[in-house]
DNA sequence: CGCATTGTTGAGCCGCTTCAACTACTGTGG
DNA sequence: CCACAGTAGTTGAAGCGGCTCAACAATGCG
């Protein structure tokens, strides 16, 4: 298969979920960039290192600007609750409790952008529409997680789960400006298995079958989607459910 | 077992998730009730009737004030994506897309409160903190659905799923001011099964086993929780994950 | 180059599904 | 108020999908 450079790729701000909080504002016809000095850009988190732990106070909205993370259920190191790729917010549900709900661990050398809750509040006093942006952002997160849940819960066979997972990853990458048909998945088979509620061996076997059937070409962590339509069909959910899924 | 009145019970506004949008505001030391004439209270939806369909434009924030609903994956009448009980918001993720993501069907004669998105926007111009309330509300929803997903996805046995389901229902009822140990579940076994990814027969069998083991007493749609601690333990997740779960 | 980790493959077993028969409800009309 | 029909829930037997466990292969790292 074609080789893919594994060099860390940055998401563009234009394709980042959190850009509603960062991009300059138009105020009275003048562009106003309030974020300078407020947004902490590109903090490096090395592979296998934590960004935060469950129970940590939620102080900043954080977003993956490059790389990827897994969210792990505290106390069950084996139980993966989700993945976050470049351009995606991390654990936004934690705002409500004031504390993080999961451990976040970098799957590769990664970078995050962060903006403090206080800054958001401050800015919202100056820019009337700013909170509106945040509200839509939260609703977006809610939408995504609902989708995801619909895809992964319910009585679903191993094939359906993996097809849904791959199709979902493809769509997420596309949304954030990365190649949708050819990518590297930084997580281990174990992580995928845990996340999908399968055994590592089953993941391996199903992937091999997909490969054999010409749906994908996979070699280690590198994947090439050969027949996205058939994958979506295998996931057996309304097309509308996959279009904006993550 | 003790008989439980099946009369529809209203959630108190104090225990309703959406009250951040409805309860009077303190402005300049004076209580100001902006909602009069804005909030549509207690619209009746009869059993088995739809409140909305997937694809309908999202115009109002809706909340169950009495009764219960199921959210169904469009096109798959058998696939239940979630339940909403009295005091809970319905399909808040739809705000992002502007269209509803699921069909909502009443599981019994039910009532909903509704407040239009426009009203929310209007009010937010008058009350500075109003959008802040909405943001926290959205984060709360996000938190809940994340919890739920952690409980239901991953490799989980039928016993774990049902224990998590029952413990979760108990906590949700408690949060909204209803008896937590003795309640009526308005949905059919089929719905529970679909939601948990099990077969109807399995649900029946596991409930019978729980009954036999003294964890619950159940008769038809009526349930009495006898040993909530053991149920939570069976659900096998950190206590912190169940405390605020729904 | 050698060790450690990760991924693949195989055999046997267990839990859940499927399908079907049966029983218990619920509601409706006589 | 009872009889009956239709629906919902329970129970049993059989088959199979995916798990477990273990051996092996490949990959990555010092």
């Amino acid at each position: 298969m074609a080789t893919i450079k594994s060099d860390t790729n940055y998401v563009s701000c234009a394709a980042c979920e959190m850009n509603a909080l960062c991009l300059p504002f138009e105020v009275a016809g003048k562009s106003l960039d309030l974020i300078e000095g407020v947004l902490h850009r590109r903090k490096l988190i090395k592979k296998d290192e934590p960004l935060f732990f469950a129970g940590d106070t939620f102080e900043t909205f954080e977003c993956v600007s490059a790389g990827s993370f897994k969210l792990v259920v505290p106390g069950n190191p084996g139980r993966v609750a989700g993945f976050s790729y470049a351009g995606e917010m991390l654990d936004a549900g934690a705002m409500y409790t004031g504390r993080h709900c999961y451990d976040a661990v970098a799957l590769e050398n990664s970078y995050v952008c962060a903006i403090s809750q206080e800054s958001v509040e401050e800015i919202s006093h100056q820019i009337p529409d700013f909170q509106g942006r945040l509200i839509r952002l939260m609703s977006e997160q809610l939408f995504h997680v609902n989708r995801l849940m619909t895809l992964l819960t319910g009585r679903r066979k191993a094939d359906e789960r993996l097809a849904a997972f791959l199709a979902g990853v493809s769509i997420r990458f596309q949304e954030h400006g990365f190649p949708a048909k050819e990518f590297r998945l930084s997580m281990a088979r174990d992580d995928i298995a845990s996340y999908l509620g399968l055994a590592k061996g089953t993941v391996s076997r199903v992937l091999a079958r997909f490969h054999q059937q010409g749906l994908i070409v996979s070699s280690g962590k590198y994947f090439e989607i050969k027949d996205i339509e058939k994958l979506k069909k295998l996931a057996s959910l309304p097309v509308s459910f996959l279009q904006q899924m993550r």
Side-chain angles (χ1 to χ4, degrees), chain A:
Chain A
M1 66 178 295
T3 52
I4 307 172
K5 290 282 178 296
S6 68
D7 295 336
T8 311
N9 286 315
Y10 285 94
V11 69
S12 75
C13 287
C16 175
E17 268 178 21
M18 210 170 72
N19 67 18
L21 305 186
C22 317
L23 288 185
F25 295 81
E26 288 291 329
V27 172
K30 225 183 70 178
S31 176
L32 177 61
D33 193 342
L34 280 164
I35 304 297
E36 278 309 317
V38 169
L39 180 74
H40 301 278
R41 278 189 181 284
R42 301 191 170 166
K43 180 167 62 167
L44 168 67
I45 312 289
K46 287 195 184 151
K47 181 176 170 166
D48 294 326
E49 300 214 328
L51 174 60
F52 52 73
F53 289 106
D56 288 357
T57 54
F58 176 84
E59 282 160 358
T60 57
F61 291 93
E62 282 165 311
C63 193
V64 186
S65 51
S68 51
F69 288 80
K70 65 175 169 182
L71 296 176
V72 181
V73 177
N76 299 43
R79 247 165 95 36
V80 175
F83 301 109
S84 294
Y85 309 124
E88 297 177 356
M89 275 184 86
L90 279 152
D91 200 17
M95 186 202 171
Y96 166 64
T97 52
R99 294 186 176 280
H100 278 292
C101 311
Y102 304 94
D103 301 342
V105 179
L107 290 167
E108 58 199 304
N109 287 346
S110 302
Y111 294 83
V112 297
C113 288
I115 178 170
S116 77
Q117 224 180 323
E118 287 153 27
S119 302
V120 166
E121 232 161 87
E122 234 168 78
I123 295 169
S124 70
H125 291 147
Q126 300 168 60
I127 315 256
D129 186 43
F130 189 77
Q131 286 194 309
R133 290 187 180 198
L134 187 50
I135 289 167
R136 279 187 291 278
L137 184 59
M138 301 293 270
S139 177
E140 180 179 352
Q141 298 291 316
L142 204 47
F143 169 79
H144 286 319
V145 69
N146 275 330
R147 279 281 136 102
L148 197 52
M149 196 159 133
T150 303
L151 279 172
L152 293 180
T153 62
R155 198 172 332 143
R156 304 186 60 61
K157 301 244 180 282
D159 292 38
E160 296 179 294
R161 286 173 193 270
L162 259 158
F165 175 72
L166 288 172
V169 165
S170 172
I171 291 165
R172 286 165 77 163
F173 280 156
Q174 185 164 36
E175 276 177 4
H176 299 111
F178 298 111
K181 298 265 167 110
E182 217 180 322
F183 44 76
R184 178 176 177 276
L185 286 182
S186 48
M187 70 290 282
R189 294 287 190 274
D190 272 318
D191 291 331
I192 300 177
S194 163
Y195 179 58
L196 295 178
L198 301 169
K200 181 172 68 165
T202 307
V203 170
S204 213
R205 273 181 262 263
V206 173
L207 285 178
R209 202 183 318 136
F210 281 180
H211 193 133
Q212 201 183 334
Q213 292 168 343
L215 299 178
I216 63 171
V217 178
S218 72
S219 154
K221 293 197 164 19
Y222 295 96
F223 292 80
E224 207 178 322
I225 307 284
K226 285 297 189 187
D227 193 340
I228 186 74
E229 287 314 318
K230 210 170 273 176
L231 275 180
K232 287 183 181 176
K233 204 168 187 175
L234 251 180
S236 72
L237 280 170
V239 191
S240 65
F241 257 77
L242 281 161
Q243 252 152 15
Q244 284 189 276
M245 193 207 65
R246 75 163 240 212

